[in-house]
Amino acid sequence: MESFGITVTEHLLIHQKENPYATGQLTRLITELIFSAKIIEREVRKAGLVDILGMTGDVNIQGEKVRKLDVFANQVLIYRMQRSGVICAVSSEENADIIEVPDDLPKGSYLIIFDPLDGSTNIDVNVNIGTIFSIYRKITEGTECATEDFLRKGYEQVSAGYFLYGTSTMLVYTTGEGVHGFTLDPSVGEFLLSHPNITIRETGRTYSINESNLMYWDERIKKAVNYFKSSENLRGKPYNARYIGSLVADFHRNLFDGGIFMYPADKKDPSKPKGKLRLLCEAAPLSFVVEQAGGAATDGKQRILDIKAESLHVRTPLFIGSKKDVEMATKIMTE
Ligand code: P6P
């Protein structure tokens, strides 16, 4: 019988082994995430046609200018997550504090952290952008969530993944049972399984880093980057340089083609000594995905998933991708 495709709901409920978290509650949450992504995708696709481009004139908690599409994506996700009936609060890259589910709405024992539209500086030039999400179970007693429920180590995540608004719209996620990719079929408005059991090459062929920051790096980072630019490496020739400037797009390409993405600590902005990327809404979810795909992720010293978040918006250096490439970069930087 023709399969007519495998939906995310089917994949969660039938194709996941007896995962204690691949329950109806998690399925409900991911279903609401998918609905949010479809609404965001609709606006992203027509961004050039309506007055949803450009700036709002505001600045977010990160000190970054906020774009109208950022605000829209953030509002959609907060609204839909609060009505999922299975979470107690959300934390967004765009908001200083956690946002509780109002008392008149049903609550649950999950919490979600997201970057609603990562790479948003690329929106106006039609470059791929994405939504990154990270899901934990609450640990404090009672139905109310507390900030400490969010200050976790990445290995405690129940699920994580991202939506990529690119040439096609994809969902790539894990619940700890491997990494699976789903592609949106616009003709039926459904994400269908397109890339089951994604694995990343042990040694890649691409390195991704913003080399305009060279003068702000310390010598160990320069040595690690030169390793990939030389022929004295596991490839025996220089790696290809690819850098889109949109984390989800750079990560996704390296996941499929093999490679390493690096955003090291730098001296460029004294307010961001650990670099630009956030631990909870960027590094930890993508590190859960890459490890489930057979890759690795460190902050240049230790495993990202072992780092406990000391605050909601704490930043971290990030070296993520093919296992042997990340191991080598980390070895060079800790010698
Ligand atoms: P830079 C986008 O603003 C973002 O947060 C990530 O998506 C991306 O990897 C990074 O910043 C790019 O930063 O400093 O290289 O422009």
Side-chain angles (χ1 to χ4, degrees), residues 118-119 121 210 243 245-247 261 263 276-278 282:
D118 181 79
T121 51
N210 185 341
Y243 192 73
S246 184
L247 173 59
F261 173 93
Y263 206 109
K276 182 177 186 182
L277 300 182
R278 277 73 51 156
E282 291 171 321

Side-chain angles (χ1 to χ4, degrees), residues 13 16 26 36 57 59 115 143 145 156 214-215 255 298 321 332:
L13 291 179
Q16 298 281 281
L26 186 61
S36 306
V59 170
D115 183 351
T143 57
C145 251
E156 298 175 71
L214 175 69
M215 63 180 283
L255 181 67
T298 73
I332 293 169

